[in-house]
Amino acid sequence: MAFGCANGSVQVYTIDTTTGAMQFSHKLELTPKQYPDIWNKTGPVKLIRWSPDSCVVMVTWECGGLSLWSVFGAQLICTLGGDFAYQSDGAKKDPLKISSMTWGSEGYHLWVIDGISPSNMKPERDTSNEARQFGILQFHFIKSALTVNPCMSNQEQVLLQGEDRLYLNCGDATQAQSPRNTSAHAEHKSTRERGPFSDGSLDSQGLSTLLGHRHWHVVQIHSTYLESNWPIRFSAIDKLGQNVAVVGKFGFAHYSLLTKKWKLFGNITQEQNMMVTGGLAWWNDFIVLACYNLNDHQEELRVYLRTSNLDNAFAHITKVQADTLLLSVFRDIVILFRADCSICLYSIERRPEGLNPTASIQVLQEVSMSRYIPHPFLVVSVTLTSVRTETGITLKMPQQACEAESIMLNLAGQLIMLQRDRSGPQIRDKDNNPNQRKHLPFCAPVVLAQSVENVWTTCRINKQKRHLLEALWLSCGGAGMKVWLPLFPRDHRKPHSFLSRRIMLPFHINIYPLAVLFEDALVLGAVNDTVLYDCLYTQTSAREHLEVLFPFSIVERTSQIYLHHILRQLLVRNLGEQALLLAHSCATLPYFPHVLELMLHEVLEEEATSREPIPDPLLPTVAKFITEFPLFLQTVVHCARKTEYALWNYLFAAVGNPKDLFEECLMAQDLDTAASYLIILQNMEVPAVSRQHATLLFNTALEQGKWDLCRHMIRFLKAIGSGETETPPATPTTQEPSSSSSFEFFRHRSISLSQSAENLHSKFNLTKTLSMPSGPSGKRWSKDSDCAENMYIDMMLWRHARRLLEEIKLKDLGCFAAQLGFELIGWLCKERARAARVDDFVFALKKLHKDFLWPFPVIPASSINSPFKNGKYKTAVGEHLLKSQSADTFVNMDMDTGVSNTPRSRSWLGTISSSQREIDTVSSHGPHMQDAFLSPLLSKGDECSIGSATDLTETSSMVDGDWTMVDENFSSLSLTQSELEHLSLELASKGPHKSQVQLRYLLHIFLEAGCLDWCIIIGLILRESSVINQVFSIMQSSDIDGEICQNIKTGLYAVDKWASTDCPGYKPFLNIIKPQIQKLSEIAEEQVQPEAFQPVNPSKVTEQVNPRAEESRTSSSHGPNPQSDAGNSGASRHEEDKSKTEDEDSFQEGSYDCVVS
């Protein structure tokens, strides 16, 4: 009984069933936390209306506004806040004042007449035949199936029912439809969230199905059935969520979500003669319902098979003595609550008979409750469960743990449990009659809880999650939820005599519960969401449409984790062992880390902000509990980062010193978590400590190749050095070239020869990146190039680069330079005679073969007599295909996946444009390629150079459709089996395509820096004589240290010796370059300008080497090839409109690695 008060609250009383006295239950009132502006300005309560199903109450006030509440005080909707109270432009609306309201049939509609008031912005108007000064509004509602059919509480799907449709949270995304209910009369539906139920698929796959998407699956009730049976009174869904059944005024119908088909009664007379009274439920493929036969004036219990036609001929009908008020199914037992206050248990079993199996029903037991129930209509729900006060260990027969142990009765909010009396003699399994075994009497009822609105339990068994599956879940309205949790002794030890078998734990959640996912530790619900549309109306028309005052309402699915509440309640009660058992059983849940974080955060917020001293703080207990899990370090730092700085001291006093936690992260190789602790240390410690720990982390990140973290650490160290105390931004800004400037240099240099370069980068960017600083540190980090902090960072980067080079980890060095913007060329110039010098050519060659997955060359036995030893053919075909990158691509396509050391996300070789790769391809045709029959293909040179990929070479063009151009030249060339074998071996000697691009990129870098010995090694791996010739030409035209020449000469002789004994595949190539090796001793006698090569400033390399001399040397080396000259002159003309620096750069690059055939 609800009383509206003058202060705007509603006081609700219950009536004592024995004395008839009124007892105060709870209060319905707005809280200042939710409605700070209006909570005490509503005026007196004006109207209160209970819904027809007595599950909700609607309240309105003198000053306007509507609010919907559940029986025990959970607020579902209020129009005094959110979109109901404010327009789309932020202006506050006048709340709707209501003079009268009433509920429609089954509570699906609320009819409202607005009050007469000049402040309502509504002058006289005619709307849909209403009186002059009154407007009638109709609100549409949908409600949970639990409100009228509480047997749904053993399901795990959310089922909402409207007057003509159902909303389900199961089904795949393709079946989901929008839940928006548009109406021709601008009707509005708000949600009624009332408790629906729980159960799901037998395994835990239900999580993805039940939470996979936010849309509802909307099932429209069949119009033929609605014509004579509107509105829907009951609905039920089966355990798998594949079939639903609905009950209207008469009869029933069912629908398959798989076939999308309805089944209705074929005989309309049978449908109209049956009225369902006690609800309906699914049992396997059968529909069980309690109904009244209007023809025979008889109460009946009927069972229909889903797969057969809907007809009484296929139904099993059992007569019932009294009116059935409630029905429920537990495993193979049907329980009925009747109007004579008795409970009847039936057994149900399937009997296969021909094509249409039937179900047989037999009475098991009757229990009279008239002593305890004053009136039958006070009973809200009746449920059969396996819940009991003893655990399975203390039972005399453990196999009875799964049997129907107790009856749960909700008597006007009081949850009463009747357990079976097992104190007497036990009936053994040898008693064959199953009905006799079920006849154990029930003990006297026990009250478990008050103010209960819904009850959830399941009959499933999961030994890993016994706590959650054997618990009883209660929804208590405004008081939140409760769980009656079983307590299990650890390791099956004998329980303490003083320890209770179960414990009732209360906890609050932010949604109204409609279902419980037991294994997944989730509560599902639905919430009313709103969309404003008043902007679609002009101000004048808005005054004429009363419905514009209200937003468009839709129903949204919600879910919430409850596990952290239960763990906390157990810790409060010193049941840490039980909390550990429960937590370990749920540790595999994807959101378990979030559970621990939530628990730590809530306890910290409460205790650290408490105004009163806490005699027994819980935070140390929670901290100790979290240390039992490997996620302890992440949990603590994530909680700290999301908490105010003022609370950090309180937190770390409980969990430990952040410096110790940081070191634990380093020991565990959890660098990302260690980086989060650095932010803590930066705020809690002096800068020297932060720098020390940041240096440790930076070095470790460099070792492990965590490049993103390295970039953040560089910025972090820079922030400390510049005196910043704020946390540096999470991502580098465009103004800071710290992570990209040197890398951009390489990229622009690589593209500079491409004809498409002008489309990719502006002239300004190219010239800017080409003007490199003279020092290796440059001005990368800040305007103050002399900053000690920048030098400190550079020293660490130099040290790491030196170590990588000394260990011959060129692939790691390339990643390191590209990812961190390390100025590799400038540094290599300084280290050319030190770390960048190759001491052991053979070891370096072997190491590169291994790192880049590059196979050693082999020579087939048949090559002795092969015509490819002939110079012309070798040049024309053998070497040409050897360098072909398209053949490479076909042979090694699946080998690319083997390059696992290269980061997938930001691979350093991904920065090389297609133009550069095309240039590298052309560069493979060195001075030896002078055969004239290749010239027809070069007519396509311009076309290929624009956006062509590495594999778009002359060979691929030849294979893909240009055979006609070379057919007459190839006609004289007959390939035997041995020659084909030779070709295939040559192709198989190539490494992965990605490795080839990487090696060419490194070759480009080493050429720029003047590290000629490394260029020689890469040229040997690629087996391209043009690279070797290019290096020797540089040595002849530059003032090269004699020691370097001697080192290269010694190294090449060592390689030759090694090839003779261990790797004869290299011998043919070494024989090709042997004349060049013999010239090494003569280089020291040649005189060249000392300024031709400046190793200190790599930018001058492009400016001081004579590009015209190189170009003429290149052209002459090709001999009489008019196409070659045309290609060079075309490239020159293309670059003429660029700046002088860029022009020189392009020709210099051509001389190094782009010798156009």
Side-chain angles (χ1 to χ4, degrees):
M1 190 175 291
F3 296 88
C5 303
N7 64 357
S9 66
V10 177
Q11 300 206 10
V12 184
Y13 292 81
T14 60
I15 298 177
D16 188 277
T17 52
T18 54
T19 64
M22 289 176 53
Q23 296 176 338
F24 176 75
S25 172
H26 60 279
K27 190 183 292 187
L28 310 179
E29 59 181 352
L30 303 180
T31 61
K33 182 178 180 181
Q34 290 177 301
Y35 304 94
D37 300 332
I38 196 74
W39 69 277
N40 57 353
K41 301 174 184 176
T42 58
V45 174
K46 183 165 187 180
L47 296 170
I48 303 176
R49 295 286 183 271
W50 287 99
S51 63
D53 54 17
S54 303
C55 288
V56 289
V57 60
M58 184 69 80
V59 178
T60 182
W61 295 276
E62 291 284 355
C63 295
L66 284 168
S67 62
L68 187 69
W69 308 78
S70 72
V71 174
F72 290 104
Q75 182 186 298
L76 306 178
I77 296 169
C78 182
T79 64
L80 294 179
D83 289 342
F84 288 102
Y86 296 92
Q87 298 176 8
S88 54
D89 58 2
K92 190 169 177 59
K93 302 176 185 176
D94 286 340
L96 177 69
K97 296 185 179 179
I98 295 169
S99 60
S100 179
M101 66 178 177
T102 186
W103 286 97
S105 173
E106 296 293 326
Y108 292 123
H109 307 103
L110 182 73
W111 296 84
V112 169
I113 299 179
D114 65 309
I116 309 171
S117 169
S119 65
N120 270 8
M121 304 190 304
K122 298 184 294 293
E124 294 182 6
R125 68 196 184 290
D126 286 328
T127 53
S128 53
N129 302 325
E130 275 88 52
R132 270 201 318 266
Q133 294 180 325
F134 290 85
I136 296 180
L137 285 177
Q138 183 193 53
F139 294 92
H140 282 192
F141 289 85
I142 59 175
K143 60 183 178 181
S144 165
L146 276 184
T147 56
V148 286
N149 199 25
C151 71
M152 285 290 298
S153 64
N154 60 353
Q155 307 289 86
E156 287 186 349
Q157 293 90 6
V158 173
L159 176 62
L160 305 180
Q161 64 185 53
E163 56 175 339
D164 60 352
R165 69 196 63 195
L166 301 177
Y167 288 74
L168 296 88
N169 73 326
C170 57
D172 55 63
T174 59
Q175 297 174 335
Q177 304 173 24
S178 169
R180 293 165 185 261
N181 251 348
T182 52
S183 167
H185 312 292
E187 300 155 343
H188 308 278
K189 75 182 174 40
S190 310
T191 11
R192 257 211 74 287
E193 306 116 299
R194 271 284 305 144
F197 67 85
S198 325
D199 167 24
S201 52
L202 299 180
D203 50 13
S204 239
Q205 292 177 343
L207 187 60
S208 59
T209 307
L210 299 174
L211 295 178
H213 51 86
R214 298 201 59 183
H215 297 291
W216 293 98
H217 186 177
V218 182
V219 177
Q220 185 72 40
I221 309 297
H222 199 286
S223 57
T224 307
Y225 182 73
L226 281 178
E227 281 177 8
S228 53
N229 298 295
W230 176 93
I232 297 302
R233 293 166 50 232
F234 301 100
S235 63
I237 187 170
D238 66 351
K239 286 188 176 183
L240 298 178
Q242 295 175 352
N243 302 283
V244 291
V246 295
V247 173
K249 187 177 181 182
F250 298 105
F252 77 101
H254 61 89
Y255 173 81
S256 168
L257 276 74
L258 298 178
T259 63
K260 308 283 194 303
K261 290 183 179 178
W262 281 95
K263 274 194 179 179
L264 311 179
F265 272 96
N267 187 340
I268 190 69
T269 308
Q270 293 182 1
E271 178 186 276
Q272 297 298 311
N273 284 335
M274 178 179 76
M275 178 182 287
V276 176
T277 57
L280 78 165
W282 286 88
W283 178 75
N284 298 336
D285 267 353
F286 293 90
I287 302 164
V288 184
L289 48 86
C291 64
Y292 182 72
N293 190 326
L294 297 175
N295 262 357
D296 302 341
H297 303 288
Q298 173 68 48
E299 288 286 334
E300 295 174 345
L301 178 63
R302 297 189 181 185
V303 182
Y304 291 85
L305 179 64
R306 177 183 63 84
T307 54
S308 65
N309 291 335
L310 203 48
D311 193 285
N312 291 344
F314 302 107
H316 182 279
I317 301 177
T318 304
K319 293 185 178 180
V320 183
Q321 301 304 319
D323 296 354
T324 302
L325 301 183
L326 294 168
L327 173 145
S328 182
V329 174
F330 176 83
R331 289 200 178 94
D332 298 333
I333 299 176
V334 178
I335 178 170
L336 300 184
F337 178 75
R338 303 184 300 204
D340 59 358
C341 293
S342 65
I343 294 173
C344 190
L345 304 181
Y346 296 84
S347 69
I348 179 172
E349 62 177 311
R350 181 189 183 100
R351 287 193 176 174
E353 295 178 6
L355 295 177
N356 291 320
T358 61
S360 67
I361 289 184
Q362 292 182 336
V363 178
L364 287 181
Q365 189 175 2
E366 290 193 21
V367 182
S368 174
M369 298 291 296
S370 56
R371 293 172 52 194
Y372 311 107
I373 300 175
H375 194 282
F377 286 99
L378 292 177
V379 178
V380 179
S381 69
V382 58
T383 311
L384 199 61
T385 74
S386 58
V387 172
R388 60 203 172 278
T389 52
E390 305 89 2
T391 58
I393 297 166
T394 58
L395 289 179
K396 297 179 181 178
M397 300 174 65
Q399 67 270 21
Q400 296 167 346
C402 304
E403 295 180 3
E405 290 293 330
S406 56
I407 295 174
M408 296 290 173
L409 209 66
N410 187 346
L411 181 62
Q414 272 193 341
L415 187 63
I416 297 174
M417 181 175 74
L418 290 84
Q419 285 194 98
R420 288 196 180 276
D421 185 3
R422 295 192 177 276
S423 59
Q426 301 297 296
I427 298 157
R428 303 294 176 182
D429 289 340
K430 62 185 179 183
D431 298 332
N432 294 326
N433 187 351
N435 295 340
Q436 293 300 322
R437 271 199 305 134
K438 304 289 184 179
H439 279 185
L440 284 174
F442 286 91
C443 303
V446 177
V447 178
L448 291 184
Q450 303 280 354
S451 305
V452 176
E453 293 182 358
N454 286 299
V455 181
W456 293 276
T457 180
T458 182
C459 58
R460 290 203 311 276
I461 300 171
N462 186 334
K463 292 183 179 179
Q464 278 72 42
K465 297 184 178 180
R466 292 183 61 192
H467 283 90
L468 298 179
L469 285 181
E470 296 184 24
L472 189 70
W473 305 88
L474 314 176
S475 169
C476 300
M481 288 189 72
K482 293 181 180 178
V483 57
W484 200 33
L485 200 69
L487 301 179
F488 299 105
R490 197 168 195 172
D491 305 325
H492 300 285
R493 290 176 296 189
K494 188 176 180 180
H496 297 293
S497 57
F498 60 85
L499 190 64
S500 171
R501 304 292 186 266
R502 282 181 178 268
I503 187 170
M504 187 72 76
L505 302 175
F507 59 93
H508 279 273
I509 58 174
N510 298 325
I511 64 174
Y512 188 89
L514 296 181
V516 177
L517 300 185
F518 302 98
E519 284 114 325
D520 298 313
L522 281 176
V523 172
L524 303 183
V527 66
N528 194 67
D529 199 7
T530 53
V531 178
L532 286 169
Y533 60 98
D534 53 5
C535 56
L536 303 178
Y537 293 81
T538 61
Q539 188 174 3
T540 350
S541 64
R543 293 172 181 271
E544 299 169 2
H545 294 278
L546 185 60
E547 63 272 12
V548 184
L549 286 174
F550 291 89
F552 184 76
S553 296
I554 57 177
V555 185
E556 288 286 351
R557 293 168 52 180
T558 56
S559 61
Q560 188 170 334
I561 303 169
Y562 60 74
L563 186 58
H564 59 291
H565 295 296
I566 300 177
L567 295 176
R568 178 180 174 182
Q569 292 292 338
L570 289 172
L571 293 177
V572 167
R573 290 160 174 77
N574 290 323
L575 294 172
E577 190 175 88
Q578 297 292 323
L580 269 180
L581 287 174
L582 175 58
H584 281 301
S585 70
C586 299
T588 55
L589 292 175
Y591 37 81
F592 182 71
H594 186 56
V595 169
L596 297 180
E597 190 181 324
L598 278 175
M599 180 169 64
L600 181 62
H601 180 77
E602 289 182 2
V603 174
L604 172 64
E605 289 276 342
E606 286 183 19
E607 295 188 359
T609 58
S610 173
R611 296 180 180 180
E612 302 292 332
I614 301 174
D616 189 15
L618 185 63
L619 188 62
T621 308
V622 171
K624 185 178 179 182
F625 175 79
I626 295 177
T627 57
E628 297 289 333
F629 299 91
L631 301 166
F632 165 68
L633 295 170
Q634 295 97 312
T635 303
V636 170
V637 76
H638 290 169
C639 177
R641 293 289 303 274
K642 298 172 186 175
T643 309
E644 297 177 40
Y645 168 71
L647 309 184
W648 284 3
N649 285 326
Y650 189 85
L651 171 64
F652 288 105
V655 300
N657 192 311
K659 290 189 286 187
D660 299 334
L661 300 178
F662 173 86
E663 291 168 5
E664 286 185 39
C665 291
L666 283 186
M667 292 175 62
Q669 301 294 310
D670 188 358
L671 303 190
D672 292 328
T673 306
S676 297
Y677 276 105
L678 266 185
I679 307 298
I680 309 294
L681 290 172
Q682 184 191 19
N683 287 276
M684 299 184 70
E685 302 287 345
V686 295
V689 174
S690 300
R691 183 184 291 105
Q692 177 188 356
H693 288 80
T695 305
L696 283 174
L697 180 58
F698 185 37
N699 286 329
T700 311
L702 284 174
E703 296 286 339
Q704 297 189 9
K706 300 286 185 75
W707 307 121
D708 283 337
L709 181 58
C710 289
R711 283 191 291 272
H712 292 324
M713 294 313 303
I714 288 173
R715 291 172 38 255
F716 186 85
L717 286 166
K718 176 193 168 187
I720 295 177
S722 59
E724 296 178 13
T725 56
E726 298 289 328
T727 302
T731 55
T733 58
T734 54
Q735 287 78 13
E736 279 188 86
S738 60
S739 63
S740 61
S741 63
S742 302
F743 180 47
E744 294 291 320
F745 173 79
F746 300 137
R747 184 169 67 183
H748 295 162
R749 289 281 289 149
S750 303
I751 293 174
S752 60
L753 263 186
S754 166
Q755 294 184 358
S756 59
E758 58 186 357
N759 299 326
L760 298 176
H761 302 281
S762 66
K763 171 184 172 183
F764 172 76
N765 283 336
L766 283 168
T767 54
K768 174 184 173 184
T769 53
L770 285 172
S771 56
M772 288 180 56
S774 57
S777 62
K779 299 182 179 179
R780 184 165 67 243
W781 312 117
S782 68
K783 295 179 181 179
D784 182 10
S785 58
D786 297 329
C787 175
E789 199 64 41
N790 293 341
M791 181 59 68
Y792 178 67
I793 296 170
D794 281 339
M795 289 295 291
M796 287 189 284
L797 293 174
W798 295 341
R799 184 169 63 246
H800 184 69
R802 189 176 298 114
R803 190 182 63 79
L804 290 177
L805 203 54
E806 288 171 351
E807 295 177 5
I808 314 182
K809 295 181 177 179
L810 288 196
K811 178 178 284 191
D812 293 343
L813 181 66
C815 289
F816 161 74
Q819 293 285 354
L820 301 186
F822 181 69
E823 293 172 359
L824 192 54
I825 294 180
W827 179 80
L828 284 172
C829 288
K830 289 180 59 179
E831 297 288 333
R832 188 166 46 201
R834 290 176 292 184
R837 174 176 171 173
V838 183
D839 295 324
D840 189 341
F841 274 58
V842 176
F843 178 73
L845 198 61
K846 291 179 181 178
K847 193 75 166 40
L848 291 190
H849 272 288
K850 180 180 178 182
D851 282 355
F852 289 93
L853 303 177
W854 200 271
F856 288 99
V858 292
I859 292 184
S862 60
S863 64
I864 300 172
N865 300 322
S866 170
F868 287 90
K869 299 182 77 174
N870 176 287
K872 174 179 178 180
Y873 288 150
K874 180 166 185 65
T875 305
V877 181
E879 189 172 340
H880 188 89
L881 288 180
L882 176 68
K883 299 178 186 68
S884 158
Q885 299 185 15
S886 68
D888 221 355
T889 306
F890 295 128
V891 174
N892 299 297
M893 189 156 301
D894 55 348
M895 291 180 62
D896 287 353
T897 58
V899 193
S900 57
N901 294 334
T902 307
R904 286 278 182 196
S905 56
R906 295 188 58 174
S907 174
W908 57 276
L909 48 103
T911 60
I912 305 172
S913 71
S914 58
S915 304
Q916 164 62 16
R917 284 179 267 174
E918 195 270 337
I919 289 169
D920 292 333
T921 301
V922 181
S923 73
S924 65
H925 310 301
H928 289 287
M929 298 200 57
Q930 34 193 320
D931 204 288
F933 93 93
L934 288 178
S935 58
L937 292 176
L938 289 175
S939 62
K940 287 196 169 187
D942 295 340
E943 178 183 344
C944 292
S945 66
I946 300 177
S948 64
T950 306
D951 56 349
L952 192 57
T953 62
E954 291 84 28
T955 305
S956 65
S957 301
M958 197 167 63
V959 173
D960 291 341
D962 289 341
W963 282 105
T964 54
M965 302 179 64
V966 295
D967 189 45
E968 55 181 334
N969 300 294
F970 252 61
S971 59
S972 61
L973 194 63
S974 59
L975 297 179
T976 64
Q977 180 69 27
S978 61
E979 293 154 4
L980 288 174
E981 179 188 354
H982 180 91
L983 274 179
S984 64
L985 284 172
E986 290 283 2
L987 296 177
S989 298
K990 289 282 191 175
H993 172 70
K994 184 179 291 187
S995 295
Q996 190 170 8
V997 179
Q998 290 174 334
L999 285 168
R1000 293 189 185 283
Y1001 180 71
L1002 288 171
L1003 175 65
H1004 174 73
I1005 298 297
F1006 286 124
L1007 276 173
E1008 291 276 358
C1011 298
L1012 303 182
D1013 36 8
W1014 277 114
C1015 299
I1016 293 287
I1017 291 177
I1018 295 177
L1020 286 174
I1021 286 186
L1022 296 174
R1023 281 175 292 145
E1024 294 186 3
S1025 56
S1026 59
V1027 174
I1028 307 295
N1029 294 335
Q1030 196 172 349
V1031 173
F1032 287 148
S1033 66
I1034 293 174
M1035 297 171 66
Q1036 293 171 7
S1037 62
S1038 307
D1039 187 12
I1040 298 297
D1041 188 359
E1043 186 180 352
I1044 294 178
C1045 298
Q1046 184 61 34
N1047 186 44
I1048 293 177
K1049 178 181 176 182
T1050 308
L1052 285 173
Y1053 281 132
V1055 169
D1056 186 68
K1057 182 179 179 182
W1058 165 75
S1060 302
T1061 57
D1062 295 340
C1063 187
Y1066 265 116
K1067 288 301 288 184
F1069 180 71
L1070 290 172
N1071 290 335
I1072 292 176
I1073 64 172
K1074 184 168 289 185
Q1076 302 291 343
I1077 300 176
Q1078 293 172 353
K1079 292 181 181 179
L1080 273 177
S1081 56
E1082 306 170 5
I1083 291 179
E1085 302 173 3
E1086 296 182 7
Q1087 295 296 325
V1088 292
Q1089 294 181 353
E1091 296 87 1
F1093 195 91
Q1094 292 290 341
V1096 179
N1097 190 343
S1099 65
K1100 293 184 180 179
V1101 174
T1102 65
E1103 299 168 5
Q1104 295 181 358
V1105 178
N1106 188 342
R1108 303 297 173 188
E1110 290 293 331
E1111 184 187 2
S1112 61
R1113 189 158 45 246
T1114 300
S1115 301
S1116 64
S1117 69
H1118 285 285
N1121 190 343
Q1123 294 290 341
S1124 172
D1125 296 334
N1128 272 340
S1129 60
S1132 304
R1133 285 194 300 272
H1134 182 72
E1135 299 291 338
E1136 280 174 4
D1137 60 340
K1138 303 209 184 256
S1139 67
K1140 183 169 184 258
T1141 306
E1142 187 179 349
D1143 183 87
E1144 291 179 354
D1145 167 71
S1146 62
F1147 280 110
Q1148 179 61 24
E1149 186 149 350
S1151 69
Y1152 274 359
D1153 64 352
C1154 188
V1155 187
V1156 182
S1157 303

